[in-house]
Amino acid sequence: MAQRQAVAPPHRLGFAATLRRDTWWVEPALVLAALTVFFGYLTVSAFLDNWAFEIGPYLSPVFEPKLHGVYSQWWFSPALLILWGPAGFRLTCYYYRLAYGRSVFMSPPACAVGDLPPRYYGETRFPFILQNVHRYFLYVALVFIPLLWIGAIRGFHDPDEGWGVGLGSFMLVINAALLSLYTFSCHSLRHLVGGGLDCFSCSLYNRTRHRIWSWVSRLNANHRLYAWASLVFIVATDVYIRLVANGHITDPNTWSRF
Amino acid sequence: MPGYEVHEYDVLVVGAGGAGLRAAIAAAEEGARTAVVCKSLLGKAHTVMAEGGIAAALGTVDPDDNWRVHFRDTMRGGKLMNDWRMAMIHAQEAPERVLELERWGAVFDRTRDGRILQRPFGGHRYSRLAHVGDRTGLEMIRTLQQKAVALGIDVFMETTVSRILTDAGRVAGAVAYRRESGELLVFRARAVVLATGGVGKCYKITSNSWEYTGDGHSLAYWAGADLMDMEFVQFHPTGMVWPPSVRGILVTEGVRGEGGVLLNNKGERFMFNYIPEYYRAETAESVDEADRWYTDKRNNRRPPELLPRDVVARAINSEIKAGRGSPHGGVFLDIATRMGREQILRKLPGMYEQFLRLADVDITKEPMEVGPTMHYIMGGVRVDAETAATTVPGLYAAGEVAAGLHGANRLGGNSLSDLLVFGRRAGLHAARYAASLAQVPSISGDEIEEIANEMYAPFHCADGENPFSIQKELQETMQDLVGIVRTGDELKEALRRIQALKERAQRVSVPGNQQYNPGWHLAMDLRSLLTVAEGIALSALERKESRGAHTREDYPKEDPEQAKFNLVVRRNSDGEPVLEKVPRPELPEEVRKILEEA
Amino acid sequence: MALRTISIYRGDSGGGRFVDFQVDVEEGNVVLDVVLKVQAEQAPDLAVRWNCKAGRCGSCSAEINGHPRLMCMTRMSMFPADRPVYVAPLKTFPLVKDLVTDVSLNYQIAKTIPPFQPRPPDPDGLYRMSQEDVDRVQEFRRCIECFLCQNVCHVIRDHPENKARFYGPRWFVRLAELEMHPLDTADRRQLIREMAGVGFCNVTKCCTEVCPEHIKITDNAIIPLKERVVDLYFDPLRWLADRLKGKRPGAVGAQQ
Ligand SMILES: Cc1cc2nc3c(=O)[nH]c(=O)nc-3n(C[C@H](O)[C@H](O)[C@H](O)COP(=O)(O)OP(=O)(O)OC[C@H]3O[C@@H](n4cnc5c(N)ncnc54)[C@H](O)[C@@H]3O)c2cc1C
Ligand code: SF4
Ligand code: SF4
Ligand code: FES
Ligand code: FES
């Protein structure tokens, strides 16, 4: 053949080139839809500070920690002071990199299916080289864990009526738990606690780190699951608390005020 | 005739399995310009399939183990037909060769105190097999391959050697062809090491791959070297039997080493009925004792499932013939009721995967069905114990292609250690021999042209025989007539059929061109297959006794008279095979003493 | 037995096409059985690589109905009987003939990886390593070099120009095995970033999906290597800590 071929037939290069005969596009399409819905909602929610997000003992986790009075500018929401942390954490998370790598950037859209972008540099250049800062977002995320748990405990304590329990309290606990699982199953954490060692048995210190690494590794195997579960749940909790706060539904609880 | 490339080396190693790579490493470290030639890609040789482990008396699990016991086990397993000097060198050097692998990056399973873990295996008195789950061969070949790459050894992949060239009786090089392009390659070499493995493709049911066409045996034979002990062909007791297309694929002895037991269709552990007198003293009498052995090896004797392979294979054969077999013509091998799922997955992950994927059997829940499969040839090129030199100056052989170490029956795990010990010796001595030659032996252009004409002949023969059919018929002949249990009449019939096939093989033709053409490749392999098959059948007919892996229905007993010779096949001036009975040397006193130690 | 259609790609670098063959398929047959049957009975010059037929040697990689798989471990019964099964060569490597591709790139890469460099042994001349130290490394050493991961990785599959700057997943498995080996003293992090191009991987995990040995290539090899590269290149705190401890980044043994 006269012209030099980069790949030989039956293959060809180019977007969606494949010999697969199954419905490979379903998965990226679903992931794309889910990412759009959930992250879209969270973005919008962060700006909806005029739509009540707090009632009694409950504070939407999107606005945790609580560092706000009332702001009136439409473009500024107290959530923004906080959200860059978790947002950056998820954006640079190894799992979400997979999720949007396949669905948004379609490189590749599915295994053995041609990439969308004709040229590809991966994470060797700006902007994706920034993925390498993931561990700094992890440090920030780790700060959030106790804050979320404090919020969850506060969910059992109404400022006026004192201790009690409601459905919202449980949602806040589950939310904190899932976010903890997600954070503690992080790949960077796994590396930092022990993955970077070459010899696990060489000292008591290393043996201890090996034990922690083993726990994190076990969680890490389900990182994808926790990534989705915690994402879905934070949205669910936010929606729930807002609905209660705005009187659309009633929260079954032991308090009498709402 | 088309042109050809010529390459020049001090040492040319034919084969990139454990033996070939170890030889190449030794030769290169000795300063020889070394090349390796292999039929497949690097790292795909048969050694990669070895599962159970490497036998070496490291004594990490049983401190009582030492080379003397290993030597004795090897000799007894081989029914004293072994070359005692080889068996001794092997037992003495194997531990160092295994530790060396570790220094080169191999990662064996570990004991609690951080040393190399060893598992029990058939015929070995102590836990002696250094292993990595059930993929020991992979670990070994990868380590050697990586070492060879680090040393910068040249590798000619997917290249088949089809003739050894000689000059005045000495090795002068080899003629090969690239499988990919069909082009001819000529190697000028001062020394050649054969490490081509075995001959399994002579048989229908075998654990061996397409590569095992006995090329090295045949190359040596045609170069004038001796083939010894060809009647001793090992049938592994446990190959898969179902579904038909996987029949023969190996089920590692490691399953039994880890506690797996053989059952007939009545659920009996029938091996208790087949304990030979020779092994009675060291084999458990009852199921209870056998079961206790796994945890307390000092006070109990070994389960009969771990008897040498020839014994177990014959026992299974008899059970099946007596109608006590499993539905698909095998017997049951059960690990599921003997070990927890986790442990099975950790120790035998390859087996789990293999049965689940190929036979829809979950070995953590159900027993496997197994039956004998042709596995290994103890016989091969006759070599000197110290140097691995054949009778042709400059030609060396190591690994499965060489004879002597295993005698009438090989113990599991002794092959991988064989490859390391004698591979190294072959490479070393080949390099020294090459350095000692004053000048490079010469090769003749006419001879090469003649060889090329023979090799390309199948393209010019119109409407000849299909090489695949000839191979198939040969396999059926050997399976039916030269199998586990043999008789004189059947062997004669086999020889007749082989003769006929040899004639037909002169007229094979293949379509297509010489670019990556498996039909043509097989056509050339037929020569080796037929040479080897004939050698096996001739020797089997001549050995009128039953010993080790060689069982004659018409001579069911061991005959001490016949222990006095080994059978050697060599080519006469007409190219026809002739047999010779080579007397065995007397065992020296000190060796006899070791053998008698309890 | 049942007559089924298998459609095998036949051709070489000059072009080719899928050719249909009718074959009697027996119970339990894998794709390789059927291909070999075609070779023995209908097309003796059909080029295909195989050795062990048991998923242990990694020779028989191909794309079956577009999925990269080992032919010897893919049962015919996985596919609907009434439709042909398509068998094609790997895409990422140059085609030699039919199902055989030229995978020599991999052997060239192997030569560039600095070999194992063990520390000195214990006083008795032996090495001691505990099982938990070697578990990680043993996972990587399961690799059978089938190169299915190399084939599926979009970095080189869809962008052949990256072959010069990206080693591919198999080689990250190899590098991880060396870097995490408890006895090894060499530091290959600079190579991992600069020559092996670990940054090209966007962790989309197709390599893990196709690995017949179930090696968690992305999670256990590539991501940990990326993290080790971050230690050296992108983590000022770590860099500072190493400096304070008197370690020079990039020096041999810098990552104890
Ligand atoms: C399934 C299986 C499991 C086994 N398990 C064990 C075990 O647990 N323990 C044990 O000790 N033994 C085991 N064995 C036996 C052992 O693996 C083999 O005997 C051993 O690997 C043979 O090694 P080798 O170096 O002699 O040859 P191989 O590893 O077979 O290498 C032969 C080489 O020669 C090349 N070659 C052949 N002919 C030519 C030619 N004409 N031109 C160029 N190159 C050629 C081939 O390409 C190949 O590279 C097992 C065998 C099998 C089949
Ligand atoms: S995870 Fe990385 S290496 Fe693996 S296929 Fe995807 S891009 Fe390639
Ligand atoms: S890592 Fe897995 S897919 Fe890649 S070559 Fe090795 S075995 Fe094959
Ligand atoms: S990898 Fe997902 S959070 Fe760190
Ligand atoms: S033939 Fe060995 S992996 Fe398929």
Side-chain angles (χ1 to χ4, degrees):
Chain A
M1 203 173 274
Q3 108 217 54
R4 200 187 134 269
Q5 283 172 315
V7 288
H11 301 286
R12 56 186 182 81
L13 292 176
F15 177 50
T18 187
L19 298 174
R20 279 177 68 166
R21 286 155 192 276
D22 54 349
T23 48
W24 56 264
W25 43 269
V26 170
E27 196 182 307
L30 286 177
V31 171
L32 182 63
L35 289 177
T36 315
V37 167
F38 289 103
F39 280 104
Y41 173 82
L42 285 176
T43 314
V44 172
S45 168
F47 286 93
L48 291 181
D49 55 332
N50 287 325
W51 192 36
F53 51 79
E54 152 174 56
I55 179 165
Y58 305 154
L59 166 68
S60 161
V62 176
F63 292 80
E64 191 74 61
K66 190 173 171 185
L67 26 90
H68 54 281
V70 177
Y71 300 83
S72 48
Q73 282 90 342
W74 64 268
W75 54 267
F76 187 78
S77 152
L80 294 188
L81 286 176
I82 309 157
L83 273 183
W84 63 270
F89 187 46
R90 290 201 186 239
L91 218 57
T92 57
C93 161
Y94 285 101
Y95 169 67
Y96 284 105
R97 273 142 84 172
L98 182 164
Y100 62 72
R102 286 202 192 177
S103 63
V104 179
F105 296 100
M106 301 207 220
S107 50
C111 299
V113 178
D115 267 15
L116 177 62
R119 295 196 73 71
Y120 173 87
Y121 302 98
E123 300 171 357
T124 60
R125 294 195 180 178
F126 185 80
F128 293 114
I129 197 167
L130 292 179
Q131 308 282 29
N132 287 301
V133 302
H134 181 58
R135 65 174 61 165
Y136 284 92
F137 284 112
L138 167 69
Y139 301 145
V140 175
L142 285 170
V143 173
F144 275 83
I145 302 286
L147 295 177
L148 282 163
W149 280 106
I150 292 171
I153 293 168
R154 215 179 42 230
F156 291 91
H157 190 269
D158 185 78
D160 299 334
E161 295 183 41
W163 295 100
V165 60
L167 181 55
S169 327
F170 286 116
M171 296 203 49
L172 286 167
V173 168
I174 295 173
N175 178 59
L178 287 173
L179 278 167
S180 306
L181 283 172
Y182 172 60
T183 310
F184 287 126
S185 61
C186 165
H187 286 276
S188 289
L189 184 69
R190 183 172 180 234
H191 169 74
L192 293 166
V193 296
L197 295 173
D198 292 344
C199 179
F200 287 138
S201 65
C202 290
S203 65
L204 180 64
Y205 175 62
N206 285 15
R207 280 195 292 277
T208 315
R209 287 182 62 185
H210 174 243
R211 196 158 321 135
I212 303 172
W213 174 82
S214 309
W215 294 330
V216 174
S217 298
R218 220 163 302 148
L219 292 178
N220 178 263
N222 294 317
H223 191 57
R224 177 176 73 168
L225 175 70
Y226 301 140
W228 281 113
S230 60
L231 178 66
V232 171
F233 222 81
I234 194 169
V235 169
T237 313
D238 181 70
V239 171
Y240 180 77
I241 290 175
R242 286 177 188 270
L243 290 178
V244 173
N246 292 287
H248 299 298
I249 55 174
T250 0
D251 175 61
N253 63 40
T254 57
W255 298 285
S256 53
R257 189 155 75 90
F258 66 99
Chain B
M1 183 187 100
Y4 50 85
E5 282 171 45
V6 182
H7 296 270
E8 196 179 319
Y9 288 96
D10 295 330
V11 176
L12 178 73
V13 179
V14 187
L21 289 170
R22 189 63 191 83
I25 291 168
E29 284 184 336
E30 193 67 10
R33 289 172 303 153
T34 308
V36 176
V37 189
C38 53
K39 290 209 276 192
S40 297
L41 296 172
L42 186 56
K44 312 291 183 201
H46 239 79
T47 303
V48 80
M49 285 174 237
E51 294 161 357
I54 313 180
L58 291 160
T60 59
V61 172
D62 282 308
D64 292 339
D65 198 13
N66 58 48
W67 74 262
R68 301 165 80 90
V69 192
H70 189 186
F71 169 69
R72 196 178 60 223
D73 289 348
T74 305
M75 293 291 290
R76 292 187 58 172
K79 293 288 158 13
L80 302 184
M81 288 303 280
N82 325 53
D83 177 327
W84 69 266
R85 187 62 198 136
M86 280 181 97
M88 186 178 276
I89 293 174
H90 167 253
Q92 286 169 332
E93 291 184 3
E96 173 50 26
R97 296 281 83 78
V98 171
L99 293 172
E100 178 178 77
L101 285 185
E102 189 166 72
R103 290 199 288 278
W104 293 347
V107 187
F108 293 101
D109 285 354
R110 318 304 298 178
T111 62
R112 257 174 219 283
D113 62 350
R115 296 195 293 160
I116 295 175
L117 181 63
Q118 297 184 276
R119 69 157 51 118
F121 232 57
H124 292 282
R125 170 146 189 191
Y126 296 114
S127 294
R128 191 178 283 145
L129 269 73
H131 63 276
V132 188
D134 54 9
R135 55 163 192 84
T136 315
L138 171 64
E139 187 68 20
M140 177 161 143
I141 202 164
R142 209 58 92 225
T143 306
L144 293 171
Q145 169 186 351
Q146 286 159 354
K147 179 76 182 171
V149 167
L151 287 171
I153 295 170
D154 291 345
V155 182
F156 293 80
M157 290 186 227
E158 302 202 301
T159 301
T160 306
V161 170
S162 39
R163 298 290 190 285
I164 299 288
L165 297 169
T166 52
D167 171 23
R170 284 180 313 179
V171 160
V175 178
Y177 63 93
R178 287 190 205 275
R179 302 173 71 78
E180 187 183 315
S181 59
E183 293 159 348
L184 210 60
L185 277 181
V186 172
F187 291 93
R188 302 190 61 177
R190 293 164 179 241
V192 171
V193 178
L194 295 174
T196 53
V199 307
K201 278 293 148 191
C202 293
Y203 286 83
K204 195 165 94 185
I205 300 174
T206 173
S207 64
N208 296 175
S209 82
W210 67 267
E211 281 199 312
Y212 266 22
T213 49
D215 291 2
H217 293 78
S218 149
L219 288 170
Y221 170 89
W222 290 101
D226 291 353
L227 300 182
M228 190 172 85
D229 290 343
M230 295 298 284
E231 67 276 28
F232 297 123
V233 173
Q234 180 169 75
F235 288 80
H236 194 290
T238 58
M240 293 178 80
V241 296
W242 186 261
S245 62
V246 302
R247 189 158 194 145
I249 293 182
L250 193 76
V251 179
T252 174
E253 190 166 330
V255 176
R256 282 170 286 141
E258 296 293 342
V261 293
L262 291 166
L263 304 170
N264 62 20
N265 64 15
K266 300 202 168 71
E268 284 166 345
R269 270 177 83 171
F270 59 83
M271 278 312 299
F272 283 98
N273 309 331
Y274 293 91
I275 304 171
E277 212 37 61
Y278 197 58
Y279 286 99
R280 200 168 289 284
E282 57 197 68
T283 308
E285 266 161 28
S286 65
V287 172
D288 284 345
E289 181 179 0
D291 284 349
R292 282 196 305 269
W293 177 84
Y294 290 101
T295 46
D296 175 7
K297 299 199 169 66
R298 270 180 182 248
N299 300 313
N300 298 289
R301 289 169 298 173
R302 310 162 55 80
E305 278 84 6
L306 291 179
L307 284 164
R309 288 179 178 167
D310 54 328
V311 179
V312 183
R314 272 192 304 270
I316 294 177
N317 206 37
S318 312
E319 285 296 304
I320 298 169
K321 282 208 170 136
R324 292 190 289 271
S326 66
H328 300 112
V331 294
F332 295 107
L333 172 60
D334 172 42
I335 186 83
T337 64
R338 319 257 317 160
M339 236 172 139
R341 182 180 162 84
E342 283 307 305
Q343 227 184 333
I344 296 177
L345 291 186
R346 182 178 181 90
K347 281 299 190 182
L348 303 164
M351 282 300 114
Y352 173 77
E353 186 79 17
Q354 184 175 314
F355 272 89
L356 195 67
R357 297 274 284 275
L358 297 177
D360 297 321
V361 168
D362 179 348
I363 67 166
T364 66
K365 300 208 181 86
E366 316 157 61
M368 298 158 245
E369 275 188 71
V370 295
T373 175
M374 188 287 175
H375 185 55
Y376 188 88
I377 181 154
M378 274 67 75
V381 186
R382 184 178 174 202
V383 290
D384 173 62
E386 308 283 339
T387 61
T390 67
T391 49
V392 175
L395 187 63
Y396 295 75
E400 189 167 342
V401 69
L405 170 61
H406 307 292
N409 177 45
R410 174 177 75 92
L411 297 186
N414 268 358
S415 171
L416 292 187
S417 41
D418 169 15
L419 310 183
L420 295 171
V421 169
F422 293 102
R424 175 181 152 277
R425 279 179 173 260
L428 185 71
H429 291 285
R432 290 193 183 153
Y433 167 87
S436 76
L437 281 192
Q439 73 207 128
V440 196
S442 56
I443 53 178
S444 113
D446 292 346
E447 189 183 353
I448 293 169
E449 189 158 342
E450 204 175 302
I451 294 171
N453 288 340
E454 279 179 50
M455 286 168 61
Y456 297 110
F459 289 119
H460 309 303
C461 170
D463 293 329
E465 299 275 348
N466 176 345
F468 289 94
S469 335
I470 296 187
Q471 186 191 31
K472 194 164 168 223
E473 285 179 44
L474 176 67
Q475 290 171 340
E476 277 160 7
T477 304
M478 294 298 283
Q479 189 74 36
D480 298 344
L481 305 177
V482 199
I484 303 187
V485 180
R486 305 158 174 178
T487 69
D489 291 343
E490 285 181 352
L491 290 169
K492 283 184 203 139
E493 172 61 21
L495 281 166
R496 255 194 308 278
R497 292 197 201 167
I498 292 169
Q499 203 54 43
L501 289 172
K502 266 165 85 176
E503 275 150 34
R504 282 170 59 194
Q506 301 293 321
R507 298 188 308 268
V508 285
S509 66
V510 289
N513 58 24
Q514 62 189 62
Q515 196 191 21
Y516 217 114
N517 188 333
W520 177 51
H521 301 163
L522 181 61
M524 283 184 284
D525 292 344
L526 283 178
R527 170 181 156 114
S528 313
L529 283 166
L530 289 161
T531 304
V532 168
E534 188 170 21
I536 295 174
L538 273 175
S539 307
L541 183 62
E542 185 61 31
R543 186 165 287 284
K544 298 189 175 62
E545 63 163 345
S546 293
R547 177 182 296 274
H550 173 66
T551 308
R552 285 281 297 261
E553 207 167 58
D554 38 357
Y555 300 96
K557 290 243 154 17
E558 257 178 42
D559 173 2
E561 277 310 301
Q562 305 209 30
K564 293 189 177 146
F565 60 84
N566 291 94
L567 288 172
V568 161
V569 186
R570 80 168 67 87
R571 179 172 69 102
N572 68 11
S573 49
D574 308 329
E576 289 302 314
V578 286
L579 268 179
E580 188 191 334
K581 290 181 182 173
V582 182
R584 294 179 50 77
E586 279 290 315
L587 291 181
E589 187 51 36
E590 87 257 23
V591 172
R592 218 162 325 141
K593 260 208 221 112
I594 302 178
L595 291 176
E596 278 152 20
E597 283 166 19
Chain C
M1 287 229 229
L3 212 57
R4 291 185 61 171
T5 307
I6 182 159
S7 194
I8 303 175
Y9 186 76
R10 302 226 47 196
D12 54 25
S13 53
R17 63 197 173 87
F18 281 101
V19 179
D20 285 354
F21 296 94
Q22 306 290 319
V23 190
D24 254 341
V25 174
E26 292 172 49
E27 183 181 345
N29 271 175
V30 292
V31 172
L32 182 62
D33 289 321
V34 180
V35 171
L36 291 178
K37 206 169 207 174
V38 169
Q39 188 189 61
E41 292 165 7
Q42 307 182 40
D45 60 341
L46 171 65
V48 55
R49 279 197 188 104
W50 65 281
N51 279 57
C52 66
K53 237 177 133 285
R56 292 181 166 263
C57 71
S59 302
C60 63
S61 305
E63 299 194 1
I64 304 168
N65 282 359
H67 286 275
R69 313 182 67 107
L70 294 179
M71 286 186 272
C72 70
M73 295 304 273
T74 306
R75 297 269 289 268
M76 288 297 285
S77 55
M78 279 179 54
F79 307 105
D82 54 345
R83 258 172 284 161
V85 173
Y86 290 84
V87 188
L90 302 183
K91 172 177 179 179
T92 303
F93 305 108
L95 184 61
V96 173
K97 183 181 164 194
D98 303 341
L99 300 177
V100 173
T101 53
D102 172 6
V103 293
S104 56
L105 174 68
N106 291 292
Y107 296 95
Q108 283 155 23
I109 293 174
K111 290 186 191 162
T112 66
I113 295 180
F116 178 62
Q117 272 177 45
R119 63 162 166 78
D122 296 349
D124 59 358
L126 299 176
Y127 285 112
R128 282 176 184 74
M129 298 181 265
S130 59
Q131 186 61 45
E132 70 257 26
D133 283 332
V134 301
D135 276 342
R136 258 188 321 183
V137 180
Q138 286 186 333
E139 175 185 10
F140 304 140
R141 292 189 65 92
R142 286 207 309 253
C143 169
I144 55 175
E145 297 197 339
C146 63
F147 306 129
L148 284 173
C149 56
Q150 299 287 96
N151 171 56
V152 82
C153 178
H154 71 112
V155 178
I156 42 181
R157 182 183 176 90
D158 296 322
H159 309 279
E161 70 280 6
N162 286 338
K163 281 182 190 170
R165 32 189 189 197
F166 180 68
Y167 278 16
R170 156 59 188 142
W171 303 104
F172 292 118
V173 168
R174 168 75 175 135
L175 284 160
E177 142 200 332
L178 286 164
E179 285 296 279
M180 296 180 197
H181 197 301
L183 302 181
D184 181 72
T185 56
D187 182 349
R188 301 169 185 78
R189 288 179 294 174
Q190 191 183 352
L191 173 128
I192 290 169
R193 177 168 189 225
E194 289 170 13
M195 298 206 11
V198 74
F200 280 94
C201 165
N202 63 349
V203 297
T204 36
K205 279 199 186 175
C206 288
C207 50
T208 307
E209 274 184 30
V210 300
C211 177
E213 285 292 303
H214 309 299
I215 300 172
K216 299 263 181 303
I217 304 175
T218 322
D219 286 356
N220 290 348
I222 298 181
I223 292 176
L225 287 181
K226 279 182 177 264
E227 288 291 322
R228 285 177 185 228
V229 166
V230 173
D231 284 348
L232 183 61
Y233 288 94
F234 300 100
D235 188 340
L237 289 181
R238 185 63 173 247
W239 182 84
L240 199 66
D242 281 353
R243 270 289 156 105
L244 291 178
K245 280 196 230 151
K247 289 180 192 161
R248 272 186 310 110
V252 166
Q255 23 152 0
Q256 252 315 300

